[in-house]
Amino acid sequence: MPQTEPTIEAEVVEIDGVAVEPRPAPKQTGRSEWNSWQSWQGRVKELDARWWPLWLVLGFIALVLIVAVAMCVAVFWITYKIIMGLTTAFLSLLIPGRELQRR
């Protein structure tokens, strides 16, 4: 049965002769900060100007994807129309017209 060494926990007070400052306690949110949500009302409608390169790149990617999907749909639609037209043309050669059926 292997023995595990005990873990020693210690607070660092000094490293290489330099005193280490303790981290400040996290700031508690007060009731006055909770009421500041109303100030977001006008900011939500506007995009932050710092992010415009990201929106530009994402918009370009979205545009490319939309055009690619539209081109694929157009190719399939045109192929379908051509195949249906050729099928109808060949079948019309085999099936007699209405004028011949009335006689």
Side-chain angles (χ1 to χ4, degrees):
M1 186 164 151
Q3 290 185 350
T4 58
E5 296 182 17
T7 304
I8 299 173
E9 294 182 16
E11 183 178 338
V12 177
V13 180
E14 187 176 306
I15 298 176
D16 293 333
V18 178
V20 178
E21 296 293 328
R23 292 185 189 165
K27 186 178 178 184
Q28 298 291 333
T29 58
R31 186 76 174 146
S32 62
E33 291 181 16
W34 175 252
N35 290 335
S36 67
W37 64 271
Q38 294 173 347
S39 66
W40 281 90
Q41 195 171 18
R43 284 192 246 164
V44 171
K45 296 176 185 174
E46 298 175 6
L47 294 176
D48 192 355
R50 294 175 292 177
W51 292 95
W52 74 265
L54 174 67
W55 296 120
L56 186 68
V57 170
L58 291 177
F60 180 73
I61 290 172
L63 180 67
V64 167
L65 288 175
I66 289 170
V67 169
V69 169
M71 292 296 287
C72 290
V73 168
V75 166
F76 285 130
W77 179 253
I78 291 171
T79 304
Y80 170 77
K81 285 299 208 176
I82 289 173
I83 290 174
M84 290 307 291
L86 289 174
T87 305
T88 305
F90 284 125
L91 288 178
S92 68
L93 293 175
L94 301 175
I95 300 173
R98 290 183 183 168
E99 290 83 22
L100 294 176
Q101 291 177 353
R102 282 194 303 189
R103 289 184 187 179

